[in-house]
Amino acid sequence: MNTNDRIWFGMMDEQSTLICDSWRQLMELNVYFKSIIDQDTAPIVICDAGHTIIYMNPAAVARYKKRGGENLVGRSILDCHNENSQKMIIDITEGFKANSIEDVFFTYHNKKDNRNVFMIALRDENGEFIGYYEKHEYKNLHG
């Protein structure tokens, strides 16, 4: 009987049981992680290492509605920016890949609505760069 047969018939060894338990726990946590992102009132746009938008929280969908909203998922974030911003995004992600810059990188301050914008590296369990997200932090306008 091979490993797949043991799993199918419910006769898992200890290692297989631990893997299944870990997978189940991870899937349960994903609901919480998604809720944390979705409950944030600031836009969060998550991209893979190739600059493809893979997720936008509801605040981001609303903020970028005129540019396509949820239809931006699956498109390159570079297509949503001018040439100077594209270069900045590419330079920052290259820095993330090379580990030559911090994983939280301040990109600019918008005086109009008093917010800071950051790019934040996402890494797998081995520390490899897998993507990034854009995070907006709104500041208290009245001190």
Side-chain angles (χ1 to χ4, degrees), residues 123-142:
R123 299 189 180 277
D124 66 15
E125 62 276 0
N126 299 316
E128 296 296 319
F129 176 74
I130 58 171
Y132 58 96
Y133 70 98
E134 177 185 77
K135 173 73 173 142
H136 298 247
E137 284 187 2
Y138 291 88
K139 302 296 182 181
N140 182 342
L141 292 175
H142 303 289

Side-chain angles (χ1 to χ4, degrees), residues 17-30:
T17 301
L18 289 173
I19 291 169
C20 287
D21 287 345
S22 294
W23 180 254
R24 190 172 12 269
Q25 289 170 350
L26 180 61
M27 291 297 98
E28 290 171 3
L29 280 176
N30 277 340

